[in-house]
Amino acid sequence: MNEIVFWIAPIAAIAALVYAWGFYKEMIRQDQGTALMQEIGGHVSRGAMAYLWQQYKIMSLVFVVLAAVFAVLAYQFHVQSTWLPVTFLCGGFFSALAGYFGMQTATQASTRTAAAARTSLPDALRIAFRSGAVMGLVVVGLGLGNIVFWFILASLLIPAGDTGETHRMVLITTTTLTFGMGASLQAMFARVGGGIFTKAADVGADLVGKVESGIPEDDPRNPAVIADNVGDNVGDVAGMGADLFESYVGSILAASALGAAAYMSDPSLQMKAVVAPIMIAGLGILLSILGVYLVKTEEGANQKQLLDALGRGINSSAAMIVVVSLAFLFLLGMPNVWGIWGAVIAGLVSGVIIGRSTEYYTSPSYSPTRQIANQAEGGAATLVIAGIGVGMLSTAIPVLTVGVGTLLAFLFASGFDASQMNQGLYGVGIAAVGMLSTLGITLASDAYGPIADNAGGNAEMSGLGPEVRARTDALDSLGNTTAATGKGFAIGSAALTALALLASYVEVVRMELIKVGTTVLTLGHGTTVPTDSATLTDFMTYYSVNLLNPTVLVGVMIGAMVAFAFSGMTVQAVGRAALLMVEEVRRQFREDPGILKGTSQPDYERCVAISTLGAQREMVVPALIAVIAPVLTGLLLGVAGVIGLLVGGLSSGFVLAVFLANSGGAWDNAKKHIEAGHHGGKNSRAHRAAVIGDTIGDPFKDTSGPSLNILIKLMSIVAIIMAGVTVTYSLL
């Protein structure tokens, strides 16, 4: 590799894994608390690992079958990259591995966080956050490490052939995109399965425990309470980690592919454009590690001080990447340095704005959530109506932010020349990398949430004193805010990544056309252009990609429909799994009255098994929709229809994901606001209404909303992977 700054990436990837191991060992050395605390933590840990292994069994079967299909398409029909069967399996494996490490750490850290909270809030925060950093650093370390490995391997093994070095680099970058397919599909299984598991347990615990039996949250008498705690880790650690792993990988790979296409006229500039996103990601990892050490607080800190402590680490990393990325872009010798740097800033700022918007609409510190709590006075109906309204209104800022950020990134990178479409779209890819550059610490703040939540549950079930609960409640409340902003960040990054992947799709189509012998594009009126030098605008003309083409319009409508059908399936899946949980908790209370009296122990393992079974049964069909939709659309409607599908899925899926995540988060925090003593407090009429609202919002914010992030990216990746099939066999 002739660009010396490229080697920042492998160094950073190794550093991430080394520091993740160090934080893990630091956590393991901490006190685990009393025997009862360890017993409760053991229930959660065993349940989480049992679920994960069951998911991996089903996932492995699906992956093996698909890898076999890809092998036939690649080696028998020659319409696939010969790399795909291997990179597909590797992408899924390393995504699953990141989830495993994160889950293993989180389940062990919650007990130690609760133990530390007996004496010190700063120590409890440090343990919880650095344990969350294990997830964040493992994700970016494995993600960037794999990108570097496949890029180097492809550079060594893919020959130049007759097309020249610049076309070889396009082939290398589009080939490495195949790694994202496995990561995306694994993320879909993790998000959908984890979301169904956690919400089935949560709904069952709330409806029967809180509403029907009137027992507190995290009460050890509730048979579903362990499954609920397991679910926090399954959904918000393994699920979120897999989600952002594939966003991270997809954004870097897409930006590199767009860079190779944008600067095909100059091999030296092309290499710089390919290396730039990889370099920025490496710098972001190093600065994220530094940011982790800046997160600390004092004893007795209030919510604002705790939020400031997390903000200090995240914001410092973001501020440093702004300065450092500019210096290294100059060192790399990028053309239009200030424009590329402007695209990085556009992505970073967009992520910050989306996070702040999510916090405003979901935090009880602000009026939208408090207004929902006010509506609880009128009952569940008025509260639900208010939550739906807030969720709909909350879509405006994220959508406008991504829209403005995309335009600015495009204009900055193109030198404010709209005709330079390739360079402009490269800027959009760079913006996605910029937004995700400090993912190591951003994901740490998100994975911190379930650790703090489980620590509070452990403290409650272990009967620790009120001063301990006060500390864990403070950490848990902070975790609710970081979880909501983390979901907003994931949605925003998904939108930018999907836009970059959409542009990459056209580049892959170019390579497939050349492969099947279409060396000239006929654009009409006798105009022709060589395929290898055609612009993106030329491809749009060649395939008639415009809003008057019914093929495109039908694709757009199918894409929008897929987003809603997918959400409906996942919401109903939670409902069916939750009903099984409700019936099981009622059965245990009915058949063993000693459970509610506290004289006998509930059967926790049975509830964990029910959630596991429900999640595994329900997760496969929604996940496969994302794979099937672009394949069938490509076969029936061709390239133009696929582009329409991706545009429709992106636009509707993005808005729908924001609505679902924010309405669910607002209902959840409205309930917590009431439980803090407002509007009558716990067990009041307003509280019962808020519990119902929170129950409705559970599948919105933790299953369907987050899974839509992956849907829009997975459809793009599948479209890219199946471009050869679309070009060769489409009916239109």
Side-chain angles (χ1 to χ4, degrees):
M1 194 58 56
N2 57 4
E3 299 295 344
I4 190 68
V5 295
F6 171 83
W7 299 103
I8 292 172
I11 292 170
I14 293 170
L17 297 177
V18 169
Y19 274 90
W21 176 250
F23 290 145
Y24 175 77
K25 297 298 289 183
E26 177 185 338
M27 178 271 295
I28 288 295
R29 289 194 295 268
Q30 305 302 315
D31 179 25
Q32 298 184 61
T34 65
L36 179 57
M37 293 172 69
Q38 294 179 46
E39 180 187 348
I40 293 167
H43 283 305
V44 175
S45 181
R46 286 191 299 274
M49 289 303 140
Y51 167 81
L52 209 57
W53 284 117
Q54 183 63 28
Q55 175 177 287
Y56 288 169
K57 288 178 186 176
I58 295 176
M59 185 197 78
S60 298
L61 178 62
V62 174
F63 267 69
V64 169
V65 171
L66 288 177
V69 172
F70 293 147
V72 172
L73 293 174
Y75 305 124
Q76 182 67 34
F77 294 99
H78 307 291
V79 291
Q80 276 297 351
S81 167
T82 54
W83 293 67
L84 176 60
V86 177
T87 55
F88 169 68
L89 291 174
C90 285
F93 173 78
F94 281 101
S95 177
L97 188 64
Y100 173 81
F101 284 141
M103 182 92 85
Q104 183 79 359
T105 303
T107 53
Q108 296 184 64
S110 58
T111 305
R112 291 165 171 82
T113 300
R118 293 179 299 177
T119 56
S120 170
L121 178 63
D123 287 348
L125 175 64
R126 189 190 73 256
I127 293 169
F129 186 77
R130 292 191 180 181
S131 299
V134 173
M135 177 85 253
L137 294 177
V138 164
V139 163
V140 296
L142 290 178
L144 188 58
N146 271 279
I147 289 171
V148 169
F149 171 79
W150 289 112
F151 187 73
I152 293 174
L153 188 64
S155 298
L156 293 173
L157 297 183
I158 293 178
D162 300 326
T163 56
E165 180 60 27
T166 57
H167 285 84
R168 175 175 174 269
M169 188 53 60
V170 172
L171 182 59
I172 289 170
T173 54
T174 52
T175 297
T176 55
L177 271 170
T178 58
F179 177 79
M181 171 70 180
S184 292
L185 188 59
Q186 151 60 18
M188 180 63 82
F189 278 118
R191 259 304 190 194
V192 174
I196 293 170
F197 181 105
T198 184
K199 292 304 105 180
D202 198 359
V203 169
D206 281 356
L207 287 183
V208 185
K210 285 185 180 180
V211 177
E212 294 182 6
S213 303
I215 59 178
E217 188 169 3
D218 293 325
D219 192 300
R221 293 173 294 173
N222 193 329
V225 72
I226 294 295
D228 188 12
N229 284 310
V230 169
D232 290 334
N233 294 287
V234 165
D236 288 337
V237 177
M240 176 65 86
D243 181 355
L244 288 169
F245 179 90
E246 62 107 14
S247 274
Y248 185 73
V249 166
S251 67
I252 298 169
L253 292 174
S256 292
L258 291 171
Y263 296 94
M264 284 182 62
S265 59
D266 188 330
S268 64
L269 291 183
Q270 184 188 47
M271 179 58 72
K272 296 177 190 299
V274 169
V275 167
I278 299 173
M279 175 194 72
I280 291 170
L283 294 171
I285 289 178
L286 297 176
L287 296 175
S288 292
I289 294 171
L290 180 60
V292 170
Y293 285 97
L294 298 178
V295 177
K296 55 186 70 174
T297 191
E298 301 294 332
E299 188 63 59
N302 57 32
Q303 269 306 293
K304 184 178 184 307
Q305 291 168 324
L306 287 171
L307 197 58
D308 288 344
L310 258 63
R312 183 165 53 250
I314 296 170
N315 296 334
S316 297
S317 297
M320 286 186 288
I321 197 69
V322 168
V323 177
V324 174
S325 63
L326 178 61
F328 275 83
L329 285 171
F330 269 111
L331 182 62
L332 180 61
M334 278 293 293
N336 187 20
V337 170
W338 291 100
I340 300 300
W341 182 65
V344 174
I345 304 305
L348 274 169
V349 172
S350 295
V352 171
I353 293 174
I354 291 171
R356 292 291 177 268
S357 169
T358 305
E359 183 181 340
Y360 172 74
Y361 280 104
T362 60
S363 171
S365 302
Y366 300 102
S367 61
T369 297
R370 292 192 174 195
Q371 288 172 4
I372 295 173
N374 291 340
Q375 293 296 320
E377 299 277 6
T382 53
L383 175 130
V384 169
I385 291 170
I388 291 173
V390 165
M392 289 179 173
L393 287 171
S394 72
T395 63
I397 294 176
V399 170
L400 292 174
T401 298
V402 168
V404 171
T406 300
L407 285 174
L408 288 176
F410 183 95
L411 292 173
F412 286 145
S414 65
F416 289 86
D417 182 358
S419 66
Q420 300 296 317
M421 183 170 289
N422 283 26
Q423 284 85 351
L425 290 173
Y426 175 62
V428 175
I430 286 289
V433 174
M435 182 182 285
L436 290 164
S437 59
T438 55
L439 179 63
I441 189 168
T442 305
L443 183 53
S445 69
D446 198 66
Y448 151 86
I451 294 173
D453 189 3
N454 274 208
N458 192 298
E460 178 70 28
M461 287 184 277
S462 301
L464 301 183
E467 71 284 354
V468 180
R469 282 297 302 175
R471 294 188 184 105
T472 58
D473 284 348
L475 296 176
D476 185 18
S477 181
L478 177 64
N480 290 328
T481 301
T482 61
T485 54
K487 289 182 176 69
F489 177 82
I491 293 167
S493 67
L496 275 179
T497 301
L499 280 169
L501 289 170
L502 176 58
S504 299
Y505 174 66
V506 180
E507 292 305 322
V508 177
V509 168
R510 181 203 304 274
M511 303 305 295
E512 295 299 333
L513 286 172
I514 294 173
K515 188 185 297 184
V516 298
T518 305
T519 57
V520 175
L521 303 182
T522 302
L523 305 182
H525 304 292
T527 304
T528 60
V529 62
T531 304
D532 60 1
S533 60
T535 65
L536 290 175
T537 303
D538 292 334
F539 278 100
M540 297 302 101
T541 302
Y542 178 71
Y543 284 110
S544 298
V545 180
N546 61 72
L547 294 180
L548 296 180
N549 184 348
T551 303
V552 177
L553 287 174
V554 170
V556 170
M557 289 189 287
I558 292 173
M561 176 274 294
V562 166
F564 278 85
F566 174 86
S567 298
M569 292 178 69
T570 49
V571 167
Q572 288 189 334
V574 171
R576 288 190 292 268
L579 180 60
L580 295 175
M581 183 65 70
V582 166
E583 290 173 346
E584 172 61 21
V585 176
R586 286 173 177 166
R587 182 195 67 79
Q588 291 198 32
F589 284 162
R590 182 176 61 252
E591 295 180 2
D592 187 356
I595 293 176
L596 283 175
K597 295 177 182 177
T599 57
S600 60
Q601 189 178 64
D603 185 353
Y604 300 125
E605 302 297 329
R606 175 64 181 160
C607 289
V608 172
I610 285 174
S611 258
T612 300
L613 181 63
Q616 303 306 316
R617 185 173 57 241
E618 300 280 4
M619 75 178 182
V620 176
V621 174
L624 291 180
I625 282 180
V627 176
I628 295 169
V631 175
L632 290 180
T633 302
L635 290 174
L636 296 174
L637 303 179
V639 171
V642 171
I643 291 175
L645 173 84
L646 300 182
V647 170
L650 169 59
S651 55
S652 63
F654 176 35
V655 178
L656 185 58
V658 175
F659 160 68
L660 292 172
N662 287 350
S663 57
W667 276 320
D668 185 10
N669 282 325
K671 179 198 72 173
K672 288 181 169 59
H673 182 65
I674 292 170
E675 288 176 343
H678 304 92
H679 306 289
K682 293 183 179 180
N683 298 319
S684 64
R685 178 182 176 182
H687 183 238
R688 288 190 292 272
V691 170
I692 293 172
D694 178 38
T695 303
I696 295 170
D698 275 339
F700 280 29
K701 68 182 174 66
D702 289 324
T703 308
S704 300
S707 298
L708 281 168
N709 307 340
I710 305 165
L711 176 77
I712 61 179
K713 291 174 292 184
L714 181 54
M715 287 201 301
S716 299
I717 286 286
V718 172
I720 288 171
I721 298 304
M722 301 304 291
V725 175
T726 301
V727 167
T728 306
Y729 296 112
S730 66
L731 297 178
L732 296 178

